[in-house]
Amino acid sequence: MEYGRRKSGGSSATVCEVPYVPDAEIAGICKTYGNDKHRMLDILREVQDRYRCIAPSTMEKIAASTGLTRIEVEGVASFYSFLSLTPRGRISIRLCDDIVDRYSGLEEVTKAFEDVLGIEVGETSSDGAYSLEYTPCIGMCDQAPAAMVNDVVLTRLTSESARSFAEALKAGQSPEHLVSDRFEVLTPHDRALRMVDNNIRHAGEVLLGPVPDDAGLNHAVGMTPTQIITAIEESGLRGCGGAGFTTGRKWRFAASERAEKHFVICNADEGEPGTFKDRVLLTERPHLVIEGMSIAARAVGAREGILYLRGEYVYLRDLLQQVLEERRRRGLLGENILGVKGFNFDVRLQLGAGAYICGEEGALISSCEGLPGEPKTRPPFPVNRGYLGYPTVVNNVETFCHAARILDRGAKWFHDMGTEGSHGTKLFSICGDCLNPGIYELPYGHTVWEILERVGGEDAAAVQVGGPSGTMIARDSFHRKLTFDDLATGGAVIVFNGERNILEIVEYYMSFFVHESCGYCTPCRVGNVFLQKAIQKFRKGLANPEDVEYLKDLSGTIIETSRCGLGMTSPNPVLTTLQNFPLVYSAVTKPSKDGIRDTFDIQSAIDGARKIAKRRSYIFDRDFTQ
Amino acid sequence: MSGTRRETGFSFTIDGVEVTAYAGQTIMEAADEAGVYIPRLCDHQGLRHQGSCRVCTVKAGGRSVAACTQPAAPGQAVENETKHLNKMRRDLVEMLFHEGNHLCPICEASGNCELQAMAYRLDMTETTRFPYLEPCRPLDASHPDIALDTNRCISCGRCIRASQDVDGKGVFGYVGRGIHRRVAVNGENLAETDAEVTDHAISQEVCPVGCIIRKRVGFVTPIGEREFDQGLIGQEIEEKRK
Ligand code: SF4
Ligand code: SF4
Ligand code: SF4
Ligand code: FES
């Protein structure tokens, strides 16, 4: 469908035979998860992995085992991009279709795969061996173009490397062997490093510098929950996911809520195109992440935690499982942690399945509960009633890491870094048209210019701060500062040079939001499609000056009436470019002739008929000699 | 119902009119009781609140919120009938028209349709600037007594909640995501489900548009004598105040 993205997974998969699935096997999978409907995502992921799709008959069986209706199972199965109701290939190749990948040669890479495999993007080969599709940003913008091949990540693809990978797959090699022929014997950490570079360009004092093992947790066990919360409050730590809510206050709210149980959830679902900092922390500081969660658990009295890992980072699953195991073995998770009586806490890893919206707190909780990733109605807030109705602290990876470090080094140490209102350091993931894309840990307060000098992006013409839902600024704003009070960001900085087409970028971002809207509420579900179409009109040169007003007006409605942060920010690419790059829009707008709108394109309107009739129109074809 | 609740009652204002509410009530519930109508499509009496159409958007303490899910708060100043809010609401109603395929003149819900009535109430009298999405949606006439024309479905989910919570069945549910999110039935088609024409979910009051159709009763009431031919939608609530 036109308002979807360029052919992506899901809707247009070639139908091949649905494999026969014995009921007993499905029942077995369900049983592994205690026939618990809240573990639906795990159940469906496993069915998908094993049978390449979630066929109608399996849905019925799953429903019967978990006490749901078939339509409820289908609701979940049809929500997530990585799950499919029609068979995918045994090897599923997902090319990352981020704007940065497009600017780094995605087209040639796609072509190479298509050539060798003999299928087009969106198709599955007739023998069911491969499927090829696009997927939105997988968090590898610093080494684009990238792709996921089943659970394996390939980076820095070129048409040559893509061709040889595709040939190897065709010759029967497993995706793992594309990475290393010794894959099986490598440690999970080595495997991750073989696939993905960390690109740490600047290590700061808090997160990426030397970090002693469990120093924060050791301090925390000697403190009362109130003391821990006070320390976090005094440090000035704010959530690093983008919204910037004061972490200490969040913990205090959750701690003061009387309930049978409390939960701590780590949001490892960074999905904002251009963000990849959590990926690096999860690879290089996984213990620190869990340490931070354990401290939060002690502060709010939680016994259970969930680490929600985005489906795109499945390559880190083994690594994280290993870390959890190790911590259990060392008495850092489980009963009586560090010998402290009654300090019980354990973490379960929950994998997502391809849905950007699950980075939203409520949607993430829904997903953990085995539901489609739809945001929850607020109030109640998660700190009052979150996961399964219990008070829940949700923080992102970076925030938990900071918390652990604050407990080690003290609130003042952290508070003294950065600026007023934005304390401490921040991980910036920087990519696009610059010499040194990667991760920079810097205190808050740097200007965009300073950042650009550091990364070798001085010839930038536009910088996207905070990903698509953030702000696109032009050179005249590069003096602005990266802080909560000026240019707030979850960490993504994307650099574009003067050769890039701003409207193309905006259209890409809008199609991203159209693809990722959960569809719950009208303005976001429908309005973003209209915005995307309006931008297309500008790009085709068919817009009139009034269309600028239309863009602003429609954006206003979407922002004001949407139910969650996605819709409240999705028009930002349009609004911030209108504001900061007005000439780009005026250059392609022209007043309509004779009051007649120029939007109707007779050429394309008659194209279908022309093809069917195998004749051309004497009246309308511009140049009949063609 | 009254005795204890009245004691915990508090007041707030809607467009300057003082309204009484009780702890736990939403803005819309309090407004309904006080005879102030807030436009709505996905919310329906007796069903869980969903908060998805956003037509009930009001300003409470300066913030835009959905009146059907937002709890009333003491002393709060709520804006409802303002030019700005009605314009937003009209945009949303227009979005719903453009998202599906609506041909009122040939629709059997015409005159009984809440979407159409809302368009009249919100003064949607001119052609809009929104593009038509013209989706290709199926018609399910498999069931002996019920038909489903999802071309007119506005995804309000009222049928889903009615079937689940009132009928205890779960005949309907959402599938898909984003613009592809749709209402679907619990089986191959409607005939394969346990839907019955006597279900609350199938009754005339649940589906606000002409999507869930009871066979052989169409046009029993002639156009001109239908519900919203008599007056604006929301009138019966507003009449409480007079
Ligand atoms: S704003 Fe978008 S993502 Fe958020 S609830 Fe509405 S449709 Fe879903
Ligand atoms: S459902 Fe309502 S709005 Fe749609 S065509 Fe029928 S009468 Fe018109
Ligand atoms: S079928 Fe009717 S009640 Fe059900 S979601 Fe669609 S419009 Fe609402
Ligand atoms: S009536 Fe409140 S959102 Fe639909």
Side-chain angles (χ1 to χ4, degrees), chain A residues 119-403:
Chain A
I119 48 172
E120 278 182 36
V121 171
E123 290 180 348
T124 299
S125 62
S126 51
D127 59 354
Y130 333 92
S131 53
L132 186 63
E133 64 191 61
Y134 282 133
T135 193
C137 188
I138 60 169
M140 304 290 156
C141 296
D142 54 336
Q143 40 212 300
M148 292 177 74
V149 181
N150 288 356
D151 294 352
V152 163
V153 178
L154 305 174
T155 54
R156 289 187 222 282
L157 291 166
T158 59
S159 60
E160 294 78 44
S161 67
R163 190 168 288 277
S164 68
F165 284 137
E167 275 160 3
L169 289 172
K170 217 174 164 184
Q173 232 176 64
S174 73
E176 288 73 21
H177 281 104
L178 301 179
V179 178
S180 160
D181 31 344
R182 298 174 45 248
F183 195 85
E184 285 77 19
V185 297
L186 294 176
T187 65
H189 187 252
D190 281 339
R191 288 180 195 170
L193 291 187
R194 285 289 170 105
M195 296 186 232
V196 178
D197 280 335
N198 281 329
N199 279 329
I200 299 175
R201 306 282 184 175
H202 184 85
E205 217 179 318
V206 183
L207 300 174
L208 296 175
V211 172
D213 284 352
D214 299 306
L217 188 60
N218 281 325
H219 277 118
V221 290
M223 295 163 80
T224 65
T226 318
Q227 284 171 329
I228 297 176
I229 292 173
T230 307
I232 297 294
E233 267 177 352
E234 282 172 356
S235 73
L237 174 63
R238 291 168 69 167
C240 306
F245 192 81
T246 317
T247 308
R249 269 183 70 199
K250 192 183 255 187
W251 292 16
R252 192 174 290 278
F253 284 145
S256 65
E257 191 75 28
R258 273 171 191 279
E260 229 176 283
K261 290 184 189 177
H262 288 72
F263 286 91
V264 169
I265 299 184
C266 175
N267 181 346
D269 191 330
E270 58 175 351
E272 200 75 39
T275 312
F276 46 87
K277 63 185 174 68
D278 292 350
R279 177 195 92 203
V280 173
L281 286 173
L282 291 165
T283 316
E284 291 308 318
R285 296 284 178 268
H287 282 279
L288 195 63
V289 182
I290 313 294
E291 187 189 337
M293 289 179 75
S294 311
I295 292 168
R298 179 155 172 84
V300 304
R303 299 175 53 118
E304 289 171 63
I306 300 173
L307 173 62
Y308 186 92
L309 183 69
R310 64 188 302 224
E312 289 80 354
Y313 289 171
V314 60
Y315 80 102
L316 293 172
R317 176 172 47 193
D318 292 349
L319 170 67
L320 293 168
Q321 293 285 23
Q322 190 191 42
V323 166
L324 291 174
E325 266 313 312
E326 192 189 322
R327 293 186 76 82
R328 280 180 203 123
R329 231 181 15 249
R330 285 173 37 206
L332 298 165
L333 284 177
E335 309 275 297
N336 305 327
I337 291 172
L338 286 170
V340 179
K341 234 183 142 35
F343 181 16
N344 307 331
F345 178 65
D346 210 331
V347 174
R348 132 172 113 80
L349 184 67
Q350 172 69 64
L351 221 65
Y356 163 79
I357 186 62
C358 290
E360 197 273 347
E361 211 171 32
L364 182 122
I365 291 174
S366 299
S367 192
C368 288
E369 293 170 337
L371 299 167
E374 281 158 3
K376 307 234 179 218
T377 300
R378 298 160 163 239
F381 292 90
V383 284
N384 306 116
R385 266 186 283 148
Y387 179 64
L388 302 178
Y390 296 107
T392 305
V393 162
V394 183
N395 279 131
N396 89 338
V397 171
E398 191 182 351
T399 316
F400 280 123
C401 288
H402 277 306

Side-chain angles (χ1 to χ4, degrees), chain A residues 1 3-4 69-72 74-75 78-81 354-355 374 377-379 514-523 525-527 529-530 533 546 549-550 553-554 556-558 560-563 597, chain B residues 50-54 57 59 64 69-71 84-85 87-88 91-92 95-96 98-99 129-131 133 135 154-155 164 169-182 184-188:
Chain A
M1 246 178 250
Y3 41 72
T69 58
R70 177 201 137 147
I71 189 81
E72 285 172 302
E74 191 178 341
S78 60
F79 186 87
Y80 296 91
S81 299
E374 281 158 3
T377 300
R378 298 160 163 239
V514 166
H515 187 253
E516 297 300 334
S517 161
C518 84
Y520 193 102
C521 71
T522 313
R525 181 184 71 237
V526 188
V529 177
F530 294 170
K533 283 181 175 281
E546 306 91 78
E549 280 318 302
Y550 171 78
D553 191 66
L554 175 56
T557 301
I558 298 173
E560 188 169 340
T561 58
S562 280
R563 182 166 176 267
R597 293 220 159 180
Chain B
Q50 176 164 297
S52 67
C53 73
R54 312 310 279 180
T57 302
K59 274 200 175 171
S64 297
T69 57
Q70 186 71 20
H84 172 75
L85 285 169
K87 192 261 169 200
M88 297 277 140
D91 280 353
L92 294 167
M95 284 182 195
L96 291 171
H98 286 245
E99 183 191 22
R129 294 193 292 174
F130 294 150
L133 299 185
I154 57 168
S155 287
Q164 247 166 29
K169 282 188 172 177
V171 170
F172 302 96
Y174 284 117
V175 296
R177 171 172 105 192
I179 192 70
H180 304 292
R181 188 186 204 246
R182 289 274 61 86
V185 298
N186 189 32
E188 276 298 294

Side-chain angles (χ1 to χ4, degrees), chain A residues 427-448:
Chain A
L427 291 194
F428 293 99
S429 54
I430 305 178
C431 64
D433 300 316
C434 58
L435 292 175
N436 303 307
I439 294 290
Y440 295 77
E441 182 187 359
L442 302 167
Y444 280 105
H446 282 283
T447 65
V448 175

Side-chain angles (χ1 to χ4, degrees), chain A residues 400-441:
Chain A
F400 280 123
C401 288
H402 277 306
R405 296 289 290 142
I406 289 165
L407 266 281
D408 174 26
R409 300 290 304 272
K412 186 172 180 306
W413 168 75
F414 190 83
H415 194 270
D416 285 347
M417 288 179 260
T419 64
E420 195 46 50
S422 306
H423 301 279
T425 63
K426 171 87 199 127
L427 291 194
F428 293 99
S429 54
I430 305 178
C431 64
D433 300 316
C434 58
L435 292 175
N436 303 307
I439 294 290
Y440 295 77
E441 182 187 359

Side-chain angles (χ1 to χ4, degrees), chain B residues 28 39-43 51-56 66-69:
Chain B
M28 189 186 286
R40 74 205 62 181
L41 284 173
C42 68
D43 203 71
S52 67
C53 73
R54 312 310 279 180
V55 171
C56 69
C68 67
T69 57

Side-chain angles (χ1 to χ4, degrees), chain B residues 97 101-113 116 120 132 152 219 222-224 226:
Chain B
F97 268 98
N101 297 310
H102 292 272
L103 286 163
C104 298
I106 56 153
C107 176
E108 78 159 61
S110 212
N112 283 327
C113 168
Q116 186 188 52
Y120 280 123
Y132 285 95
R152 302 157 187 164
F219 297 97
I223 289 176
R226 295 181 168 200

